[in-house]
Amino acid sequence: MLSKQLEKALGQEGKMEVMNKEESRILPEDHHIHKYVKHIGESIKRTLEKRELEMLDGWDVHVIKSPVANAFVLPNGSIFVYTGLLEIA
């Protein structure tokens, strides 16, 4: 089992890797699709219990413009959503 500190470090490393790889396709925070995805995340967050909220401490949302229907979260709370997922939702 990984320590919380190691999980966060691995998550941060993974975040930087994805951010560098997808840099040209990451939507800015003021983009309407990014705001929509973040709003959904905030709605979900309001339904969680305290213990679950502690696990999401420091979470951030990134939206990647791509036809890929996928989303994932890294151990540091970074959430990545591909716009292709929104097209089928």
Side-chain angles (χ1 to χ4, degrees), residues 16-81:
M16 297 313 300
E17 186 176 316
V18 175
M19 297 291 282
N20 288 331
K21 179 182 176 192
E22 303 289 5
E23 182 178 10
S24 65
R25 299 189 304 165
I26 294 177
L27 298 179
E29 290 184 14
D30 63 348
H31 192 282
H32 70 280
I33 294 175
H34 184 276
K35 289 179 180 180
Y36 173 71
V37 171
K38 188 160 184 161
H39 174 75
I40 291 170
E42 292 295 334
S43 296
I44 292 169
K45 195 173 176 181
R46 284 192 295 273
T47 69
L48 299 177
E49 295 178 16
K50 183 179 179 185
R51 178 180 53 86
E52 294 165 321
L53 284 172
E54 289 170 358
M55 292 170 48
L56 292 176
D57 182 41
W59 76 324
D60 54 345
V61 176
H62 307 278
V63 180
I64 301 169
K65 184 173 175 66
S66 169
V68 174
N70 195 15
F72 59 93
V73 64
L74 296 173
N76 68 338
S78 294
I79 300 167
F80 292 87
V81 178

